[in-house]
Amino acid sequence: MTPSDSKSLLERAYGDAVARVDDQDETRARILDAAYEQFCRMGIRRSTMEDVARRAQVSRITVYRRFATKDVLVEHVVRREFRRYFDRFLVDIEQAGTAADRVVLGFVSSLRAIRGNPLIGGLIAAEPDLLVPAMITDEGQTLATVRRFVAGQLRREQHAGNVSADLDADLVAELMVRISTSFLTIPSQVVDLDDDEQLATVARRFLVPMLEPSRLPD
């Protein structure tokens, strides 16, 4: 699960989403589809490159030509799912009419999308030692990537006049992302993460007030 260069999976996925990158290699896309289905059905540890090749109906050599190792294949499958999450997030928040509504919808949508994703949500639940460490022990790269994404959305709100120009977008984004990440990685006995209404209430009570600079400590 270690990325092949210094960028985290989320950094690359976010870059893909912003650039609207699309995979034009049909064989590569078919292998990624097959790997996604294989990993969802059997888990990553129990799956082999041969399993993926068989499901994609290509030779094992074809798989290895595009993905040198199983770790590289896993990286690209997970990266594609995170890219889809960013795409979905950007579509979802467009439905909201105010900055506060976008914070609430973004929080609920993010938790639902990631926990509900058969691969990523399944990894968090069944194989957390594969995914969670990559999310929280990469010297903060993953968190920083999501923070930059959220901060970018907050700055858009500032430029549109929907949020105070005095708001520290990076600090607010950092706090929001850390709260969301904690819910994803640590089970809660207080908040029902499957209850969108309760999640929306939590967001309105604790996240929306962060949009007011006076509500944050100096």
Side-chain angles (χ1 to χ4, degrees):
M1 291 295 291
T2 301
S4 55
D5 61 30
S6 60
K7 289 187 177 181
S8 70
L9 290 174
L10 275 180
E11 283 182 285
R12 295 193 227 169
Y14 178 48
D16 288 350
V18 171
R20 301 295 180 184
V21 171
D22 194 13
D23 198 331
Q24 300 299 318
D25 184 334
E26 292 184 6
T27 300
R28 185 176 185 277
R30 186 165 61 171
I31 292 170
L32 289 173
D33 288 340
Y36 172 81
E37 184 177 352
Q38 177 67 29
F39 296 157
C40 287
R41 288 175 176 268
M42 303 301 296
I44 290 175
R45 281 201 180 93
R46 295 173 59 190
S47 298
T48 66
M49 296 289 266
E50 289 79 4
D51 293 329
V52 172
R54 190 178 308 112
R55 194 176 291 276
Q57 297 184 331
V58 298
S59 70
R60 185 179 63 174
I61 296 300
T62 298
V63 175
Y64 277 107
R65 281 175 178 165
R66 286 165 173 80
F67 306 97
T69 66
K70 178 180 170 182
D71 283 347
V72 171
L73 176 59
V74 171
E75 173 190 329
H76 280 272
V77 173
V78 174
R79 172 182 167 184
R80 189 175 66 163
E81 291 310 297
F82 275 122
R83 179 265 171 94
R84 288 173 173 173
Y85 151 71
F86 281 123
D87 285 341
R88 184 72 254 169
F89 180 93
L90 293 172
V91 170
D92 285 347
I93 63 173
E94 289 179 358
Q95 303 172 24
T98 68
D101 289 342
R102 281 186 281 278
V103 167
V104 173
L105 187 57
F107 177 71
V108 176
S109 170
S110 296
L111 293 182
R112 185 197 312 123
I114 294 177
R115 295 183 71 251
N117 184 285
L119 178 62
I120 299 174
L123 283 175
I124 291 175
E127 299 182 90
D129 54 324
L130 284 178
L131 183 61
V132 173
M135 294 173 63
I136 63 178
T137 61
D138 60 355
E139 298 182 350
Q141 288 188 65
T142 295
L143 187 146
T145 299
V146 185
R147 187 258 302 156
R148 285 194 294 270
F149 175 72
V150 175
Q153 301 304 308
L154 292 175
R155 290 192 179 94
R156 287 181 60 189
E157 300 288 357
Q158 288 178 313
H159 294 157
N162 301 325
V163 171
S164 170
D166 295 330
L167 184 74
D168 187 335
D170 286 316
L171 176 58
V172 172
E174 177 93 2
L175 295 173
M176 289 181 173
V177 170
R178 286 188 179 275
I179 290 171
S180 300
T181 301
S182 70
F183 277 121
L184 284 172
T185 57
I186 305 172
S188 174
Q189 297 182 357
V190 176
V191 178
D192 182 356
L193 301 183
D194 294 318
D195 186 337
D196 285 358
E197 185 174 343
Q198 187 178 13
L199 290 175
T201 298
V202 168
R204 287 199 179 278
R205 184 175 178 185
F206 298 104
L207 300 187
V208 170
M210 293 184 190
L211 298 179
E212 303 174 29
S214 61
R215 302 294 292 273
L216 288 174
D218 293 331

Short mmCIF file of all heavy atoms in Angstrom, two decimals, residues 176-200:
data_model
loop_
_atom_site.label_atom_id
_atom_site.label_comp_id
_atom_site.label_asym_id
_atom_site.label_seq_id
_atom_site.Cartn_x
_atom_site.Cartn_y
_atom_site.Cartn_z
N MET A 176 -11.90 20.19 10.49
CA MET A 176 -13.00 19.43 9.88
C MET A 176 -12.52 18.06 9.42
O MET A 176 -13.20 17.05 9.61
CB MET A 176 -13.58 20.22 8.71
CG MET A 176 -14.39 21.43 9.11
SD MET A 176 -15.08 22.29 7.66
CE MET A 176 -16.13 23.52 8.47
N VAL A 177 -11.35 18.03 8.79
CA VAL A 177 -10.84 16.76 8.26
C VAL A 177 -10.48 15.81 9.39
O VAL A 177 -10.74 14.60 9.32
CB VAL A 177 -9.62 17.02 7.34
CG1 VAL A 177 -8.94 15.71 6.99
CG2 VAL A 177 -10.07 17.74 6.08
N ARG A 178 -9.87 16.34 10.45
CA ARG A 178 -9.51 15.47 11.58
C ARG A 178 -10.75 14.88 12.24
O ARG A 178 -10.75 13.71 12.64
CB ARG A 178 -8.67 16.24 12.59
CG ARG A 178 -7.25 16.48 12.13
CD ARG A 178 -6.37 17.07 13.20
NE ARG A 178 -5.01 17.26 12.72
CZ ARG A 178 -4.07 16.31 12.74
NH1 ARG A 178 -4.36 15.11 13.21
NH2 ARG A 178 -2.87 16.56 12.28
N ILE A 179 -11.82 15.66 12.35
CA ILE A 179 -13.06 15.13 12.91
C ILE A 179 -13.62 14.03 12.02
O ILE A 179 -13.99 12.94 12.49
CB ILE A 179 -14.08 16.27 13.09
CG1 ILE A 179 -13.63 17.21 14.22
CG2 ILE A 179 -15.47 15.71 13.40
CD1 ILE A 179 -14.45 18.48 14.33
N SER A 180 -13.67 14.29 10.72
CA SER A 180 -14.20 13.29 9.79
C SER A 180 -13.36 12.01 9.80
O SER A 180 -13.89 10.90 9.80
CB SER A 180 -14.24 13.87 8.37
OG SER A 180 -15.06 15.02 8.31
N THR A 181 -12.03 12.18 9.81
CA THR A 181 -11.14 11.02 9.80
C THR A 181 -11.32 10.18 11.06
O THR A 181 -11.29 8.95 11.00
CB THR A 181 -9.67 11.48 9.69
OG1 THR A 181 -9.51 12.23 8.48
CG2 THR A 181 -8.73 10.29 9.65
N SER A 182 -11.52 10.83 12.19
CA SER A 182 -11.69 10.08 13.43
C SER A 182 -12.94 9.23 13.38
O SER A 182 -12.96 8.09 13.86
CB SER A 182 -11.73 11.02 14.63
OG SER A 182 -12.92 11.79 14.65
N PHE A 183 -14.01 9.76 12.78
CA PHE A 183 -15.23 8.97 12.66
C PHE A 183 -15.03 7.78 11.72
O PHE A 183 -15.62 6.71 11.93
CB PHE A 183 -16.39 9.84 12.14
CG PHE A 183 -17.07 10.65 13.20
CD1 PHE A 183 -17.13 12.03 13.12
CD2 PHE A 183 -17.66 10.04 14.29
CE1 PHE A 183 -17.76 12.79 14.10
CE2 PHE A 183 -18.29 10.77 15.28
CZ PHE A 183 -18.33 12.15 15.18
N LEU A 184 -14.20 7.96 10.69
CA LEU A 184 -13.96 6.88 9.74
C LEU A 184 -13.11 5.77 10.34
O LEU A 184 -13.33 4.59 10.05
CB LEU A 184 -13.27 7.42 8.49
CG LEU A 184 -14.13 8.19 7.50
CD1 LEU A 184 -13.26 8.82 6.43
CD2 LEU A 184 -15.18 7.29 6.87
N THR A 185 -12.13 6.14 11.15
CA THR A 185 -11.15 5.15 11.60
C THR A 185 -11.39 4.61 13.00
O THR A 185 -10.85 3.56 13.35
CB THR A 185 -9.73 5.75 11.56
OG1 THR A 185 -9.70 6.95 12.36
CG2 THR A 185 -9.34 6.11 10.13
N ILE A 186 -12.22 5.31 13.80
CA ILE A 186 -12.47 4.87 15.17
C ILE A 186 -13.98 4.73 15.37
O ILE A 186 -14.71 5.72 15.26
CB ILE A 186 -11.91 5.87 16.20
CG1 ILE A 186 -10.42 6.11 15.96
CG2 ILE A 186 -12.14 5.36 17.63
CD1 ILE A 186 -9.83 7.22 16.81
N PRO A 187 -14.50 3.53 15.65
CA PRO A 187 -15.93 3.34 15.85
C PRO A 187 -16.48 4.26 16.95
O PRO A 187 -15.81 4.51 17.96
CB PRO A 187 -16.05 1.87 16.26
CG PRO A 187 -14.80 1.23 15.71
CD PRO A 187 -13.74 2.28 15.81
N SER A 188 -17.68 4.78 16.74
CA SER A 188 -18.31 5.65 17.73
C SER A 188 -19.45 4.92 18.43
O SER A 188 -20.23 4.22 17.80
CB SER A 188 -18.87 6.91 17.05
OG SER A 188 -19.60 7.69 17.98
N GLN A 189 -19.51 5.10 19.74
CA GLN A 189 -20.62 4.55 20.52
C GLN A 189 -21.66 5.62 20.84
O GLN A 189 -22.62 5.36 21.57
CB GLN A 189 -20.07 3.94 21.82
CG GLN A 189 -19.12 2.77 21.59
CD GLN A 189 -18.63 2.15 22.89
OE1 GLN A 189 -18.94 2.61 23.98
NE2 GLN A 189 -17.85 1.08 22.77
N VAL A 190 -21.46 6.80 20.29
CA VAL A 190 -22.38 7.92 20.53
C VAL A 190 -23.11 8.34 19.26
O VAL A 190 -24.32 8.58 19.27
CB VAL A 190 -21.61 9.13 21.12
CG1 VAL A 190 -22.54 10.33 21.27
CG2 VAL A 190 -20.99 8.77 22.45
N VAL A 191 -22.37 8.41 18.16
CA VAL A 191 -22.95 8.85 16.89
C VAL A 191 -23.14 7.65 15.97
O VAL A 191 -22.22 6.87 15.74
CB VAL A 191 -22.03 9.88 16.20
CG1 VAL A 191 -22.62 10.30 14.86
CG2 VAL A 191 -21.82 11.09 17.10
N ASP A 192 -24.37 7.50 15.46
CA ASP A 192 -24.68 6.43 14.51
C ASP A 192 -24.26 6.89 13.12
O ASP A 192 -24.91 7.74 12.52
CB ASP A 192 -26.18 6.12 14.55
CG ASP A 192 -26.57 4.98 13.61
OD1 ASP A 192 -25.68 4.47 12.88
OD2 ASP A 192 -27.75 4.60 13.60
N LEU A 193 -23.17 6.33 12.62
CA LEU A 193 -22.63 6.77 11.35
C LEU A 193 -23.49 6.36 10.16
O LEU A 193 -23.24 6.80 9.03
CB LEU A 193 -21.21 6.24 11.17
CG LEU A 193 -20.21 6.67 12.25
CD1 LEU A 193 -18.81 6.14 11.91
CD2 LEU A 193 -20.17 8.18 12.41
N ASP A 194 -24.50 5.54 10.40
CA ASP A 194 -25.43 5.16 9.33
C ASP A 194 -26.67 6.04 9.32
O ASP A 194 -27.56 5.86 8.48
CB ASP A 194 -25.85 3.69 9.49
CG ASP A 194 -24.68 2.74 9.28
OD1 ASP A 194 -23.90 2.99 8.34
OD2 ASP A 194 -24.55 1.77 10.04
N ASP A 195 -26.75 6.98 10.25
CA ASP A 195 -27.90 7.87 10.38
C ASP A 195 -27.52 9.24 9.81
O ASP A 195 -26.89 10.05 10.48
CB ASP A 195 -28.30 7.99 11.85
CG ASP A 195 -29.58 8.79 12.06
OD1 ASP A 195 -29.93 9.60 11.17
OD2 ASP A 195 -30.22 8.61 13.11
N ASP A 196 -27.91 9.49 8.55
CA ASP A 196 -27.55 10.75 7.90
C ASP A 196 -28.11 11.96 8.65
O ASP A 196 -27.47 13.01 8.71
CB ASP A 196 -28.07 10.77 6.46
CG ASP A 196 -27.25 9.89 5.54
OD1 ASP A 196 -26.26 9.29 6.02
OD2 ASP A 196 -27.59 9.79 4.34
N GLU A 197 -29.30 11.82 9.22
CA GLU A 197 -29.91 12.94 9.93
C GLU A 197 -29.10 13.30 11.17
O GLU A 197 -28.88 14.48 11.47
CB GLU A 197 -31.35 12.59 10.33
CG GLU A 197 -32.10 13.75 10.97
CD GLU A 197 -33.57 13.43 11.22
OE1 GLU A 197 -34.08 12.46 10.62
OE2 GLU A 197 -34.19 14.16 12.01
N GLN A 198 -28.63 12.28 11.88
CA GLN A 198 -27.82 12.55 13.06
C GLN A 198 -26.47 13.16 12.66
O GLN A 198 -25.98 14.08 13.32
CB GLN A 198 -27.59 11.27 13.86
CG GLN A 198 -26.87 11.51 15.20
CD GLN A 198 -26.68 10.25 16.01
OE1 GLN A 198 -26.85 9.14 15.51
NE2 GLN A 198 -26.33 10.41 17.28
N LEU A 199 -25.89 12.66 11.59
CA LEU A 199 -24.63 13.23 11.11
C LEU A 199 -24.82 14.69 10.71
O LEU A 199 -23.95 15.54 11.00
CB LEU A 199 -24.10 12.42 9.92
CG LEU A 199 -23.59 11.02 10.22
CD1 LEU A 199 -23.22 10.32 8.92
CD2 LEU A 199 -22.40 11.05 11.17
N ALA A 200 -25.94 14.99 10.07
CA ALA A 200 -26.21 16.37 9.67
C ALA A 200 -26.36 17.27 10.90
O ALA A 200 -25.88 18.41 10.91
CB ALA A 200 -27.48 16.43 8.82
#
